[in-house]
Every structure is written in structure tokens, then in C-alpha cells.
Amino acid sequence: MSTITSAPNWRVDVRPPCKIGDVFNSVEAGAEVIIMIDGYFEHTPAVWHKEVLYALERGVTVFGASSMGALRACELAAFGMIGVGAIYQQYATGVLEDDDEVAVSHLDASSGYQCVSDAMVSIRYGIDLAIDAQVLEAQFGKQLIARCKSQYYPLRNWESVFADAIELGLENEQLYAFKDFIHNNDTDLKAIDAREVLHKAYDYITSSEKLPVNNVRLNRTVFWHHLESVAKKAQPLCGHEVTEKRLLDHIKITNNDVRQVALIWALVNVVFEKLPLQKMSDQQAFEQFRYRHGLTTAQAVKQFLSDKSLSQQECLALAHREAKVRQVARFYRTEMDASLIEATKYCGQFNELMTLCSSKWESLKSKGLSEPEVSDVDDIDAVFSWLRAHLGMSEFVSAPQLIEELGFESQAGFVREMLAHYLSCQEFSV
């Protein structure tokens, strides 16, 4: 994201890909023009639409192009955000619809955010140029585009396109011509659009003609007020300034449990991307999250966010994390089973669990219940409700979901263990 300010002499601040809170903070810092190009969207909460509306309300001119900027400009053009470039036009006219068209994988700040994949929209543009130049046949180009589109976005690059071309039977002479064409032509459509929006912004800033003042009015909801509080770089707490780094350092030295959870989430994210697993849509992930946590009303969701100090975007990210953890756990169920007993020893619980398990089955055996059956209880549904409550799970978690999540190989094995656990916890006579 680039920010241009103009008092007394305008200057340009080039900033990293934007994330939640960045536009808000730029406005608070006095920006008069904001140019949004790239932005985080998957592992870091994306910049909010309301942040842009806040900027527009405050009289800030906001341009968008190339990537996240093009997406937000398309969504907020009616409110005054200015979209620039071919990518913006393709989204605005419906030629493009998927966010993954502009998604790329890149390195961190120490490497200058260097891209390690190519955007689908740029690969599509390059292949179309090759078709127009009669370097590729149209039908063959469409096959290459379809192949590339089917790949997960971090795996997309021109080398994989060339490998696909070989697999699809492109002759050596044509392949060399195709490679030469791509290497000798500017096919990075995102970069082309980024340059265009910078020129547009420069023309706007140096021109005496200004855009008419828009009439955007931001509805300041409880979520907006929460964003305001968390987006600021430092917040007062008990008379001391607590920055994000200071809080991180405090957690590192005081709370190993939180560090372990963070490690698990980080590893799950890395592993998830390498497995043949399908990421849920935002709606699917959030609906599952709501019901698993018993958040069946808007008020319940609001209270949950308040209790956990979560924004809507943070909650959605948490929903995706939980979904990924469940999927990875299912995928590695066998490996987890092989490590469970060793884990109890590491946690110092092996002897206690062995004693409890032995006592449970001895008690059942003494009452003639060596193999508990459904007929041994009055209401199997009530037993299942008891187990969910015992595990601290929402009433909306179904039996198949619980069986899969707990790692049981069969429904019969789950029911037997559930009955045994229930009956051993009850006062009863036979």
C-alpha cells in the first residue's frame, strides 16, 4: 500500500501489503490520498471495507488497483473509491470473479516481499498475448489456463506452465518459442496496473481539478469501535503503553500454554497447505464455528466477540483455524493414535489414566456390563447429550462429527466407549 500526503510538500510513503487496520491508521496519520495495491487475505485478516469508507468519509481520496486494491475498488466504487487498470475492469465487468486470480505467495519483509509464485491473472494475460501473437494455438492456450487454474495459488508459476505444456504435447520448437515470448514480454499484469495507478494518482495530485466531495457516512457499529481500539499501534493499559511487541514478549516469558497453541496453529497452517484438503468458504467455516460454540443468535455472537476481544475478521480467521485443525487431525488420525499413549507419559498422566481406565472396566465387569450395549440405558440420545456436555461441546455438534473428531474408527466403537464412560460415572444398580 502506498500513501501520499501533501502538507506542506506532498510525499510518498511506500508500505507493506495492507492488512486490517492499515487504512484506518493511515487516515489517522493524516493521509490525503491512499493507493491500495497489494494486501494480505489468508493468514492475516484483510483490510476492512469499512476502513475505506472511513477514509472516504474523512475526505481522503482512495485509489485501488492490481490486487487487493482492485478487489476493494470494485466493491466500493459506488461509494467513491477509484479503481484503475485492466484487472479492476475485469472484476468490475464480471470477467473475473475469483479472489485467487490475484493471489500470490511471497517472502517476508527481510526479502522485500519477493514473490515466489505468479498470479493467475498474469499467467492468463501472458498466455492470451502468446495466442494473439500466434505463438500458441487458442485451444492449447485454454488447456494451459485450465491446468493452471486447477492448481492451488502458491504453486502457480511460469515453470509449472511450461511443464504442463510439455505434458500436453507441445513440440520442442513451439515450447522454445513460447518460453522466449514469455521471457521477452511484460506479462506481469499486476505490476502493469500498479504502475498505471501510480501515474493516475500523480496526475490527480498535481492537477488543480479535484474530485467532488462524496457523502459517505460510516455506520459506527460495535465492531467498528473494536477495530478502532485494536488498530492503533499502542494502547494505554494501567497507565503504561502496551505495544504489540511488548505484549508478545510478555506472553513469551509468562505463558507457555499459549505459545504451544500458537505453535500448533502455525504447524497446522503449514501442513494444511501441503495436503489435498479443501479450504472451507467463509460462510461454511463461520457457520460450523457458531454451532460448535453454541452461538445461535446475533447477540450470542456479539457477546462472544466481546468476551474474547475479537473483531469479526479475527473471529472468522479463528473459525478457519479450527476447521483446519479438525481436517488435519482427521487426515493424521492413525499417526495421532500411535502417539497418544506416549503423549500421556510426556504429560505425566499415564499412570493416572491407566488406573482410571482399569477401574472403569473392572466396575462395569462386576455389574455384568463387560460389553455395554444400547439396551443398557433408557435413552441413548440423552447419553450423547451428556457426553457433549461432559466434553464442553455445543449441543449442535452431531454424533458423526464427534465420532470423526475424536478419532474413532467406527460408530460401534464410539458407542461402546460412550456407554462405558456414562455408565461408570452413574450411580446405578442392576
Side-chain angles (χ1 to χ4, degrees), residues 340-357:
L340 276 177
I341 291 177
E342 185 179 351
T344 67
K345 295 180 179 180
Y346 175 78
C347 295
Q349 298 180 24
F350 177 77
N351 292 334
E352 178 186 356
L353 289 169
M354 276 287 289
T355 300
L356 289 172
C357 182

Side-chain angles (χ1 to χ4, degrees), residues 163-179:
D164 286 340
I166 295 172
E167 275 192 34
L168 291 171
L170 194 65
E171 298 293 337
N172 284 342
E173 186 176 341
Q174 291 176 296
L175 177 65
Y176 295 144
F178 179 36
K179 285 185 175 181

Side-chain angles (χ1 to χ4, degrees), residues 36-341:
M36 188 187 302
I37 296 175
D38 286 310
Y40 290 105
F41 73 98
E42 188 172 48
H43 305 306
T44 302
V47 61
W48 276 18
H49 300 77
K50 281 197 170 185
E51 293 180 67
V52 178
L53 295 178
Y54 176 68
L56 296 171
E57 181 189 63
R58 295 282 295 270
V60 178
T61 302
V62 185
F63 290 90
S66 187
S67 188
M68 180 63 74
L71 293 171
R72 289 292 181 263
C74 184
E75 294 154 345
L76 298 171
F79 299 94
M81 187 173 178
I82 304 167
V84 177
I87 296 171
Y88 163 74
Q89 289 296 333
Q90 289 181 64
Y91 276 116
T93 57
V95 174
L96 294 179
E97 295 181 350
D98 299 335
D99 293 358
D100 79 304
E101 287 282 339
V102 293
V104 293
S105 182
H106 58 76
L107 302 179
D108 60 15
S110 64
S111 302
Y113 302 98
Q114 180 181 349
C115 288
V116 293
S117 68
D118 293 297
M120 183 69 222
V121 69
S122 293
I123 292 174
R124 191 186 296 277
Y125 175 67
I127 291 175
D128 285 342
L129 287 179
I131 292 171
D132 291 341
Q134 298 184 339
V135 174
L136 286 179
E137 293 182 1
Q139 188 57 39
F140 190 86
K142 289 179 181 178
Q143 288 180 277
L144 279 180
I145 289 173
R147 277 276 191 110
C148 189
K149 181 67 174 177
S150 68
Q151 291 181 316
Y152 184 44
Y153 78 86
L155 304 178
R156 295 171 182 159
N157 55 57
W158 280 111
E159 290 307 313
S160 69
V161 172
F162 298 145
D164 286 340
I166 295 172
E167 275 192 34
L168 291 171
L170 194 65
E171 298 293 337
N172 284 342
E173 186 176 341
Q174 291 176 296
L175 177 65
Y176 295 144
F178 179 36
K179 285 185 175 181
D180 285 344
F181 181 85
I182 295 301
H183 290 151
N184 293 319
N185 286 273
D186 186 359
T187 61
D188 190 347
L189 190 58
K190 288 180 63 174
I192 293 171
D193 281 6
R195 291 192 290 271
E196 182 178 350
V197 74
L198 291 175
H199 285 297
K200 291 278 187 183
Y202 177 82
D203 291 343
Y204 169 77
I205 292 167
T206 56
S207 171
S208 59
E209 294 184 14
K210 298 301 176 186
L211 296 172
V213 177
N214 59 67
N215 295 313
V216 173
R217 291 294 177 268
L218 177 65
N219 182 18
R220 286 164 169 74
T221 63
V222 63
F223 302 115
W224 174 256
H225 292 307
H226 183 73
L227 172 67
E228 284 185 306
S229 68
V230 300
K232 294 175 182 177
K233 302 197 178 295
Q235 302 176 53
L237 183 63
C238 302
H240 297 281
E241 187 181 75
V242 178
T243 62
E244 181 177 302
K245 184 179 187 307
R246 187 168 289 177
L247 178 59
L248 282 172
D249 290 344
H250 177 74
I251 293 169
K252 289 175 183 177
I253 205 167
T254 63
N255 200 318
N256 197 50
D257 289 343
V258 171
R259 290 183 66 252
Q260 294 301 312
V261 171
L263 174 61
I264 290 169
W265 282 355
L267 292 175
V268 165
N269 266 336
V270 172
V271 171
F272 185 89
E273 306 301 349
K274 299 179 182 295
L275 295 177
L277 300 174
Q278 184 66 42
K279 183 182 178 183
M280 291 184 179
S281 68
D282 288 349
Q283 182 177 356
Q284 287 174 318
F286 189 61
E287 285 302 301
Q288 281 199 13
F289 183 85
R290 283 182 58 206
Y291 284 109
R292 294 180 67 82
H293 290 270
L295 308 176
T296 56
T297 66
Q299 182 58 38
V301 173
K302 179 179 176 181
Q303 187 62 49
F304 181 86
L305 295 177
S306 176
D307 291 344
K308 302 289 187 182
S309 298
L310 291 168
S311 68
Q312 283 181 306
Q313 287 292 328
E314 288 171 332
C315 187
L316 183 57
L318 182 58
H320 278 295
R321 286 186 190 278
E322 285 195 0
K324 288 180 179 179
V325 169
R326 292 194 297 273
Q327 287 179 267
V328 171
R330 287 196 295 268
F331 192 90
Y332 286 115
R333 185 182 67 189
T334 302
E335 288 81 358
M336 284 183 65
D337 283 354
S339 302
L340 276 177
I341 291 177

Side-chain angles (χ1 to χ4, degrees), residues 419-430:
L419 290 172
H421 200 58
Y422 173 78
L423 291 170
S424 68
C425 291
Q426 308 304 305
E427 291 292 336
F428 62 91
S429 59
V430 178

